[in-house]
Every structure is written in C-alpha cells, then in structure tokens.
Amino acid sequence: MSEPILAPEEIEALMAEVGPSEHADAIFAALPPIKQPEKVDKFLFAGSDEDSPERYPMFVNLQERLTEMLDEQWKELFRRDISVHVQELASSVYKDLITTDTPQVYFVFEVEGNGRMMVTFDTAMIVAFVDAMLGGDGESSENPQTLSPVELRLSRRIAEKIGNTLSNLWKPVQPLTFEVYKLDYDPQFLAVTSAMEKCFSTLFDVKISESQTGKLGVHYPRPFLEPMLESLRVTVSDEPSETDTEWTDALMDRLSSTPASLRFELDRCQINIGTFLALKPGDFLPIKTKANDPCKLWIEDIPIFKARPGESDGVLAAELIEPIHSGGKS
C-alpha cells in the first residue's frame, strides 16, 4: 500500500479553512472512508519547448552531417576508426553548460553579425588529440584537470580545424566564418552569452579507443541562430528537386506548335439596329481611337500586346509596342 495522497495534517489544514475545528471535525466524521489507491504515479504536466532543436529539421540534419565530417577527419588524425554519434539534442541554459564536474576545454568562436558560440571537449579528449598530433597512440592514460602550455598551444590548431569544419557545415544554409575567439579550461570568463540565455546544444559521444570515450558539445545561443531560424525550419522534402529538363523541353515543343487565334482590334463602337441597317458604302463608324493611339493585340480572349497599326511591304501590319501584363494593366 502506497502513502495516502494527502497526509492527515494536510487534510486537517484544508478542513480548517472550511469552518471552526468542531464544524470541520463533524463534516469529516460524516464522510465515508475514502479508499486509497494502491499505487500513485508521479504526475508531470505535459509541455513543449518552442526552442527545442527538434522543431528545426534543417538544424537536425546539420548535426548529422557534422557527425560524418568529424568521423572522417578524426579517422585520418588517429589513423584508426573513431566512433562519433549524436547522443542528444537539447535546449540548454548557458549557465548549466559551464557548470560541470567533468574537466572541460572550451573553444569559443565568433561569427561576424551572429555573435559567439561554443564547442566543449572533455579535457582527456584534448590530451588524446594532442598525443595523436605528436605521433603518439592518441590516448590519455590519466584524468587531466588542466592542459600544459604545449597542449594549450596545440589546442588552437584543433580549434581552427573545428572552425573550418563549422564554416563548411553551414555554407549551404548561410555563409558563416567561424573565427577562434578564446580557448580556456576555466569557463568563468568566456563571455559567450548571458547566464540564462537558451542555447541549442548537440552532445556527441566519441569513442577514441576501446578504453577511452569522451563527450563533445556544440552549443549555439539562440540569438546566434536568430537570423537563420526560418531556414532551419525547412524539411528535407522542402528542398528543391532536380528539374526534369527533357520533359520541360518536350512540353515547350508541343506548346510552340499549338495553333492560336490572333486578332488586332482597332476599337469598338455601339450603334442601334436602325443605324446599322441604314449603313451604306462611304459611311463612317463612330470610332473614338485616334490615329496614333495604341490598340490591342488579342489571343483568343486575352489581350497580349499594345500595338500600333501600320504598313509592311504594302500590307497592313501591327507594330508591337509593349506587353500587357496580367490584370489588364500595362
């Protein structure tokens, strides 16, 4: 039997609000026993984070592409297969990202017009990277808390490589140049964004060897992504498909050989039946178009061009002046 939903003192406090204690006791005593449930599960109110990365399909796609790019680069550096996969996409608060018990190395990048973002590595991973760069096995046998001056200096080369990778990653969405702003293992003075700013975070699991794994985090403050959010909402199905030029060319050929009725209309007038029946050679119709006024060239019932009557090789002709756009306005 689980604990009651309300403790006796909580029930007493609620009943005290109903009336004097004697009145409340009388009401409570008159109530039938309430059967307690055998099990009460913890209830969580449902909710959704509008800033969740999953709401932006293109952003998710970019993180999957980043996995492939890093896997390929690090395989070449370590001269063996390195496993990289996305562990989690999350909406995080910046303050929480820099409050961790695991020793981290922080790479801060700046993009003109967008601001700063951050990439985090477990410190042991950076030591393993530096060891591989120096021709070693690419492993860290200890649990380092900080980096040596040599390791910190070589870390900048790692950061520059990451920056180039991120620039290439974002190029199809928006050209961005990721410049290294700061490297540190003390997060207090990174100045990436405000403490409570929301960030889109991608956490990667990296398996360097059978005995060593680590975490990589890529964190974008929301203001950094703001100019690109509309583009990031695009799904794969929204991407333009390849045009079938053969079908288009065949359609244009068929349309080009389709006959159309073309007429050149000088003007229209309205007369009564009596006047019409009385017309004879030499009479004039009351047309209002002046000699130099443009007239309309029609295809079926659609006006296509403004034109001026003229002569070509001894026959009447229509000189095209300008197209008439949709809606009848030129």
Side-chain angles (χ1 to χ4, degrees):
M1 180 73 69
S2 62
E3 293 294 326
I5 297 176
L6 293 177
E9 57 271 16
E10 293 175 315
I11 296 176
E12 183 178 352
L14 289 173
M15 297 302 294
E17 294 296 321
V18 177
S21 59
E22 296 82 3
H23 187 194
D25 291 341
I27 294 176
F28 186 69
L31 293 175
I34 300 175
K35 185 179 179 180
Q36 297 292 334
E38 294 184 359
K39 183 180 180 181
V40 179
D41 294 327
K42 185 177 180 181
F43 181 80
L44 297 176
F45 288 96
S48 60
D49 185 354
E50 293 186 356
D51 290 336
S52 172
E54 286 84 356
R55 296 176 63 90
Y56 300 86
M58 182 60 72
F59 182 82
V60 175
N61 182 267
L62 287 175
Q63 307 318 299
E64 294 172 352
R65 175 58 182 149
L66 180 58
T67 301
E68 299 171 0
M69 297 171 75
L70 295 177
D71 186 76
E72 182 178 347
Q73 293 175 13
W74 294 347
K75 179 180 179 179
E76 180 180 352
L77 172 64
F78 286 89
R79 299 179 297 279
R80 61 174 181 267
D81 288 334
I82 302 296
S83 173
V84 183
H85 71 271
V86 176
Q87 176 205 1
E88 182 184 8
L89 291 172
S91 180
S92 311
V93 176
Y94 174 68
K95 178 175 67 68
D96 296 337
L97 298 176
I98 59 175
T99 307
T100 174
D101 296 332
T102 304
Q104 300 276 303
V105 179
Y106 302 88
F107 296 168
V108 179
F109 298 90
E110 189 165 41
V111 174
E112 185 177 357
N114 290 71
R116 297 169 189 165
M117 55 82 64
M118 177 176 69
V119 177
T120 59
F121 282 89
D122 287 351
T123 304
M125 282 182 61
I126 295 298
V127 173
F129 271 67
V130 172
D131 185 63
M133 292 168 64
L134 296 177
D137 295 333
E139 293 188 13
S140 174
S141 57
E142 301 177 354
N143 186 23
Q145 300 296 307
T146 60
L147 299 177
S148 69
V150 173
E151 291 168 339
L152 191 59
R153 186 165 61 251
L154 290 177
S155 294
R156 188 168 189 88
R157 292 175 55 185
I158 300 173
E160 290 171 351
K161 183 69 173 177
I162 293 290
N164 290 335
T165 301
L166 292 174
S167 297
N168 292 329
L169 176 72
W170 282 92
K171 190 178 296 183
V173 178
Q174 181 169 320
L176 302 176
T177 302
F178 289 76
E179 299 286 350
V180 180
Y181 172 75
K182 192 172 188 179
L183 276 71
D184 210 333
Y185 44 80
D186 182 354
Q188 299 304 313
F189 303 103
L190 295 176
V192 177
T193 188
S194 60
M196 300 307 296
E197 186 64 72
K198 286 290 188 69
C199 301
F200 279 10
S201 297
T202 307
L203 304 178
F204 296 86
D205 281 327
V206 182
K207 185 177 180 181
I208 296 176
S209 66
E210 292 298 328
S211 59
Q212 184 170 357
T213 60
K215 301 288 186 184
L216 161 67
V218 181
H219 312 285
Y220 300 93
R222 196 180 188 288
F224 183 99
L225 297 174
E226 188 73 38
M228 302 173 289
L229 287 181
E230 285 302 320
S231 299
L232 297 178
R233 287 192 179 96
V234 176
T235 62
V236 176
S237 60
D238 292 329
E239 294 178 353
S241 57
E242 185 177 352
T243 303
D244 187 348
T245 57
E246 182 178 354
W247 183 89
T248 304
D249 293 343
L251 176 63
M252 291 304 298
D253 288 342
R254 294 298 298 271
L255 289 175
S256 299
S257 60
T258 301
S261 176
L262 184 69
R263 77 175 188 274
F264 182 47
E265 187 175 275
L266 296 178
D267 197 9
R268 298 184 182 189
C269 65
Q270 194 170 26
I271 58 176
N272 57 45
I273 298 297
T275 304
F276 173 75
L277 294 174
L279 287 176
K280 58 184 182 296
D283 289 343
F284 291 91
L285 293 174
I287 294 177
K288 297 180 180 179
T289 302
K290 296 180 180 179
N292 293 324
D293 284 349
C295 304
K296 292 180 180 179
L297 189 68
W298 299 69
I299 291 183
E300 302 295 344
D301 294 327
I302 303 174
I304 302 299
F305 277 95
K306 283 186 175 182
R308 184 180 293 110
E311 180 181 331
S312 177
D313 296 330
V315 297
L316 291 175
E319 179 188 359
L320 302 183
I321 300 175
E322 62 181 1
I324 299 176
H325 301 293
S326 59
K329 296 179 181 179
S330 60

